[in-house]
Amino acid sequence: MSSPTLAEPFNRPRTVLFVAYPDMGLLDLTGAQTVFWCATKAMSERGLPGYDRPTASIAGGLTRTAEGVTVDTIPLSSFAGEAVDTIIVPGAPEILRALENNADVIDWLSWMAPQARRTASVCSGAFLLAQAGLLESKRAATHWAMCDMLKSRFPTVEVDQDAIFIQQGMVWTSAGVTAGIDLALALVEADCGRDVAMQVARELVVFMKRPGGQSQFSEMLQSQMNDGDTFAGFHVWLTQNLHREDLDVDTLARHANMSARNFSRVYKQKTGRSPAKALAIFRLEAARRLLEDSDRNIDQIAGACGFGDEERMRVTFQRHLAISPRDYRSRFSR
């Protein structure tokens, strides 16, 4: 994901339209809404316009969320011919049922999204975007538990099971529930600049404004969830030996007590990742922790995590997190 770039300065409030439908997730909707409300306050303090934040459904009126809270909405037809800057689509716990019951919402998205400057989804809202044809041949994020379902139902979508949020042109997708807050903060930063986004993060007590490529959870946790105890001992050894630069497949296989060929096959089968990719992500996580919690310099951290030098570490950070190690430290150091 490319770093956010500032949009043209506001000369009037921008409309961020939240699309409501029955049994949507409440926090998917209100988390992002609160970010834009808070950003509007911050912009007002600077004497600048902020955001209009309407919530709309097909028919308008009260719309019941999955949690049982009803939300008052206006009809989506009210925005025909209106300048909608951003469309945000929340997800639903029962997303396949939501797809079946909201064909009219999907048709509206197919028609309206190309007219908006950008369209975004929270959590399983990505399914609605995909059904509307907005994710064709694009990378996308959704809740980790729904990644396989999204891949199966929409095979042309490149589902990234790690990302907190992803930008693909004018379409943004995000992972589960609270990742909608991270997504909204990134949209605000793209529009209003980092100072406003950080003011919003502070007011909402979001201490870690995560970059889009940051994993939904750690590689160690992911591996434990996927493979049970098969590679538990190997992963402990690996985290203790990341500094070594000789960790090729033969070395890794030897410490897993397998042949190189069998290790590569079984490891990917059990964890969903090749050994090389897993090693890169383990090193990335170790480097992130040191950047956040230690005062070691960048070269020392690169060496301790097995990158060898700052440049190799920078390339890995850019590939996975779309941020440099130095920028990561400045943003997240404790």
Side-chain angles (χ1 to χ4, degrees):
M1 195 201 79
S2 59
S3 299
T5 56
L6 294 185
E8 292 298 318
F10 288 46
N11 53 26
R12 59 184 175 81
R14 294 186 175 182
T15 298
V16 179
L17 177 58
F18 292 85
V19 178
Y21 56 90
D23 298 320
M24 64 184 171
L26 178 62
L27 188 54
D28 287 10
L29 174 75
T30 57
Q33 278 183 328
T34 302
V35 169
F36 285 102
W37 165 76
C38 195
T40 299
K41 288 202 307 172
M43 293 291 278
S44 178
E45 291 170 5
R46 292 162 171 78
L48 298 170
Y51 299 96
D52 291 332
R53 307 168 304 279
T55 304
S57 63
I58 287 295
L62 296 179
T63 302
R64 185 181 176 87
T65 66
E67 293 82 358
V69 176
T70 55
V71 177
D72 198 9
T73 68
I74 58 180
L76 283 169
S77 59
S78 304
F79 295 91
E82 295 293 321
V84 175
D85 181 81
T86 303
I87 298 169
I88 296 185
V89 183
E94 299 294 334
I95 190 58
L96 295 185
R97 186 170 65 187
L99 287 180
E100 293 174 3
N101 295 339
N102 292 285
D104 43 7
V105 173
I106 292 164
D107 289 342
W108 182 89
L109 284 170
S110 298
W111 167 71
M112 190 66 182
Q115 303 177 50
R117 183 166 67 93
R118 60 192 177 190
T119 300
S121 65
V122 178
C123 195
S124 59
F127 283 75
L128 295 171
L129 299 195
Q131 190 71 41
L134 302 177
L135 297 181
E136 188 80 20
S137 300
K138 288 183 170 65
R139 286 178 61 235
T142 190
H143 191 286
W144 62 266
M146 297 182 178
C147 286
D148 288 343
M149 189 190 308
L150 186 61
K151 289 179 186 176
S152 175
R153 193 174 183 93
F154 303 102
T156 67
V157 179
E158 183 185 344
V159 182
D160 190 328
Q161 65 182 7
D162 288 327
I164 295 294
F165 63 83
I166 291 172
Q167 178 190 1
Q168 291 279 273
M170 293 298 100
V171 180
W172 300 59
T173 53
S174 64
V177 192
T178 58
I181 294 173
D182 297 284
L183 169 68
L185 281 167
L187 295 174
V188 167
E189 182 175 359
D191 291 344
C192 310
R194 186 167 184 260
D195 288 346
V196 171
M198 292 305 293
Q199 181 177 334
V200 172
R202 286 193 298 270
E203 180 162 345
L204 298 183
V205 200
V206 182
F207 294 112
M208 292 290 287
K209 195 171 81 68
R210 298 171 290 186
Q214 187 168 336
S215 180
Q216 294 187 42
F217 35 63
S218 73
E219 175 67 14
M220 178 69 86
L221 176 58
Q222 174 71 62
S223 300
Q224 289 171 345
M225 291 172 62
N226 286 344
D227 76 346
D229 295 330
T230 306
F231 291 105
F234 168 76
H235 286 143
V236 171
W237 173 85
L238 184 59
T239 59
Q240 294 171 346
N241 288 273
L242 293 174
H243 62 282
R244 293 175 52 173
E245 295 191 41
D246 64 341
L247 296 182
D248 56 19
V249 173
D250 288 334
T251 302
L252 297 177
R254 186 165 61 252
H255 284 277
N257 297 314
M258 294 181 177
S259 69
R261 182 176 180 181
N262 191 47
F263 170 69
S264 295
R265 179 182 61 81
V266 175
Y267 190 88
K268 186 167 186 179
Q269 181 184 63
K270 292 289 187 179
T271 69
R273 291 196 176 92
S274 68
K277 184 172 182 181
L279 174 60
I281 296 177
F282 270 109
R283 282 177 164 159
L284 181 68
E285 289 185 354
R288 280 173 40 212
R289 287 192 294 271
L290 290 174
L291 289 168
E292 292 168 12
D293 299 329
S294 81
D295 58 2
R296 297 191 199 184
N297 66 42
I298 301 294
D299 279 327
Q300 288 174 330
I301 291 173
C305 298
F307 290 107
D309 56 44
E310 179 179 348
E311 177 58 21
R312 287 175 58 191
M313 186 165 76
R314 186 193 66 78
V315 169
T316 301
F317 267 69
Q318 289 288 355
R319 180 184 302 121
H320 291 277
L321 302 181
I323 192 172
S324 72
R326 292 181 184 277
D327 286 343
Y328 187 94
R329 167 168 273 176
S330 69
R331 191 178 291 191
F332 302 122
S333 175
R334 301 182 197 282

